[in-house]
Amino acid sequence: MSNGQLCIVMNSRPQSIDVLYTKKDGSNIKAQLGYRMNGSSSYDRLETISKGDRATSTWKMSWPCNKAVGLIKVQGQGTFETPSATFPGC
């Protein structure tokens, strides 16, 4: 996946989702981080991510027991996702 690592973190206090992408190798990419929950996807701004960079996007919400997946939409390469996760305590 574009020579990097994508992960999703579900936080309970406050309830939020963090999607993180670390670019480990290769050339710059233009990408948007996002998440999908209940069949709907949301994305953050388009950004350039270079080797060694860590991109993070956070969404605050109050849907404590729904599953979500983290997403990265890379221009020219498609969309990649994490395994599903749930909020702590669900």
Side-chain angles (χ1 to χ4, degrees), residues 9-69:
V9 179
M10 311 286 274
N11 304 295
S12 58
R13 290 189 179 94
Q15 289 171 352
S16 62
I17 290 176
D18 295 327
V19 177
L20 307 95
Y21 177 73
T22 304
K23 182 86 167 104
K24 299 194 180 270
D25 202 6
S27 55
N28 295 354
I29 59 170
K30 286 191 176 187
Q32 293 172 277
L33 296 179
Y35 73 94
R36 184 173 64 245
M37 182 183 289
N38 292 337
S40 292
S41 299
S42 293
Y43 287 94
D44 205 350
R45 71 200 175 283
L46 182 67
E47 58 185 307
T48 300
I49 306 171
S50 305
K51 179 181 174 182
D53 284 352
R54 182 181 209 184
T56 306
S57 293
T58 300
W59 291 267
K60 293 186 171 121
M61 60 192 54
S62 57
W63 302 308
C65 285
N66 288 332
K67 291 184 179 181
V69 297

